[in-house]
Amino acid sequence: MKKSVFVISLVAAMLTTSCVSKKELVACQEQNKALQTNIQETKDQLGSTKEQLAASTARVSSLEQQLQGLSKTNSQLQKSLDKSLSNSSQNNISIEKLVDQINESNRYIRHLVEVKTKSDSLNLVLTNNLTRSLSKEELKEVDVQVLKGVVYISLADNMLYESGTYKINKRANETLSKIAKIIKDYKDYDVLIEGNTDNVPIKRENIRNNWDLSCLRASSVVQALQNDYGVDPKRLTAGGRGEYNPLQPNTTELGKQRNRRTQIIITPKLDEFMELIGQAPEEGK
């Protein structure tokens, strides 16, 4: 009898120990899963930060090159003036022309700086207004950046569209309405909607390939901005780049996910840019 009681107690103890170990194992697995998710999110944030840093570095380099070019032109004009002043055979008319060219070049440099400063300020305000209007959940699927004076709003495809289609889902309506309000507030900007896909082939009714899908998705967003939110269609352009503008290699699921996106690109109006070009100083006056 005592032996039977002992055996029963031993079995009960083993079962209790087994249950506790199983619970601990499940808890450890859940904790590990959460840590893996946090690690991946941290890697994604690091990748995005590196991209922004690289873009900023490229922008600074571009501006430095422009400034060097303008400074070189100004230096050449100054050398020509000095040469003319030292040459007694030069008449007053040629010297006056050189002085005018230098003054015009200086005015153009100041004008470029003023336009650049104004554009950067507007883009900063636009970006801040947009990010403040979006919720924390929306900001997980909407990326807003300013690169070389252009505002890029990148939206994940699973947030915008019903799976494998170009039909906008209901979840995207609130986000698009906030973006549309910003677009309407800044009337001096044009808007390009650009669709992008991964490299996985698609062939469905009325969709021949990824070119079709990217263009149709961009067109859906354009029509939503126009018909549902009142954005002037004259300011809108729809385009698709298929699988040929990837952010990351399509070798992983995460890379494919990042490449499946629609970008809303807000730029200064083209006619204003051309007007700026037209104000460049003429050579050989």
Side-chain angles (χ1 to χ4, degrees):
M1 180 68 179
K2 290 181 179 180
K3 185 176 180 180
S4 300
V5 172
F6 174 76
V7 171
I8 293 171
S9 300
L10 179 60
V11 171
M14 291 175 65
L15 289 172
T16 302
T17 304
S18 177
C19 292
V20 171
S21 299
K22 187 175 181 180
K23 289 180 180 178
E24 290 177 347
L25 177 61
V26 171
C28 288
Q29 288 175 337
E30 292 178 350
Q31 184 177 11
N32 182 60
K33 185 178 180 180
L35 288 172
Q36 291 295 332
T37 301
N38 289 336
I39 290 172
Q40 188 59 56
E41 290 178 351
T42 302
K43 287 182 178 179
D44 292 344
Q45 292 176 0
L46 178 61
S48 177
T49 302
K50 286 182 177 179
E51 289 176 3
Q52 294 181 30
L53 177 61
S56 298
T57 303
R59 184 181 177 191
V60 170
S61 177
S62 175
L63 290 173
E64 288 177 347
Q65 290 177 3
Q66 293 179 32
L67 183 58
Q68 289 175 0
L70 291 170
S71 298
K72 184 178 180 180
T73 300
N74 203 25
S75 176
Q76 290 173 344
L77 291 172
Q78 184 64 55
K79 287 179 180 179
S80 296
L81 176 61
D82 293 340
K83 183 178 179 180
S84 297
L85 290 172
S86 62
N87 191 341
S88 59
S89 64
Q90 291 289 330
N91 55 47
N92 290 333
I93 296 177
S94 63
I95 294 176
E96 289 176 357
K97 285 184 178 181
L98 288 171
V99 171
D100 289 342
Q101 288 183 15
I102 292 174
N103 289 338
E104 183 65 24
S105 178
N106 287 333
R107 282 195 295 270
Y108 182 57
I109 293 172
R110 288 195 298 270
H111 179 69
L112 283 177
V113 172
E114 290 172 1
V115 171
K116 181 72 173 55
T117 302
K118 180 181 178 181
S119 176
D120 285 348
S121 299
L122 285 172
N123 288 337
L124 180 62
V125 173
L126 185 157
T127 304
N128 288 340
N129 288 345
L130 178 59
T131 52
R132 280 200 300 267
S133 70
L134 297 174
S135 67
K136 290 183 179 180
E137 290 301 316
E138 287 173 318
L139 286 173
K140 292 179 181 179
E141 299 179 293
V142 179
D143 181 40
V144 183
Q145 296 186 42
V146 178
L147 302 174
K148 297 182 179 180
V150 177
V151 179
Y152 292 84
I153 307 169
S154 186
L155 302 99
D157 73 321
N158 59 349
M159 188 271 282
L160 266 181
Y161 312 104
E162 295 182 4
S163 180
T165 74
Y166 52 89
K167 183 178 180 181
I168 295 177
N169 63 38
K170 294 180 180 179
R171 191 161 69 96
N173 289 335
E174 185 175 354
T175 303
L176 284 179
S177 68
K178 294 175 182 178
I179 295 174
K181 183 180 184 304
I182 296 295
I183 292 174
K184 290 166 70 176
D185 287 344
Y186 291 83
K187 301 182 184 300
D188 293 331
Y189 286 75
D190 283 333
V191 183
L192 168 64
I193 313 299
E194 180 185 276
N196 296 271
T197 71
D198 58 24
N199 66 343
V200 178
I202 184 172
K203 188 172 183 181
R204 299 189 179 184
E205 186 178 359
N206 298 326
I207 304 178
R208 294 168 296 181
N209 48 43
N210 284 329
W211 276 115
D212 278 358
L213 181 60
S214 64
C215 292
L216 288 168
R217 285 183 165 180
S219 179
S220 292
V221 174
V222 162
Q223 292 179 68
L225 291 174
Q226 175 188 353
N227 299 329
D228 300 337
Y229 308 112
V231 177
D232 184 357
K234 294 179 181 178
R235 300 174 57 196
L236 299 172
T237 301
R241 302 188 69 176
E243 64 198 67
Y244 302 103
N245 184 36
L247 291 175
Q248 292 188 357
N250 285 296
T251 52
T252 64
E253 285 303 317
L254 179 60
K256 292 176 182 178
Q257 181 181 339
R258 290 207 64 192
N259 293 334
R260 296 192 301 266
R261 69 202 186 280
T262 296
Q263 289 187 307
I264 300 177
I265 305 171
I266 304 176
T267 64
K269 287 186 178 293
L270 182 60
D271 55 354
E272 293 182 1
F273 176 76
M274 296 306 295
E275 181 181 351
L276 172 62
I277 296 300
Q279 294 178 4
E282 298 178 2
E283 297 181 0
K285 281 188 177 181

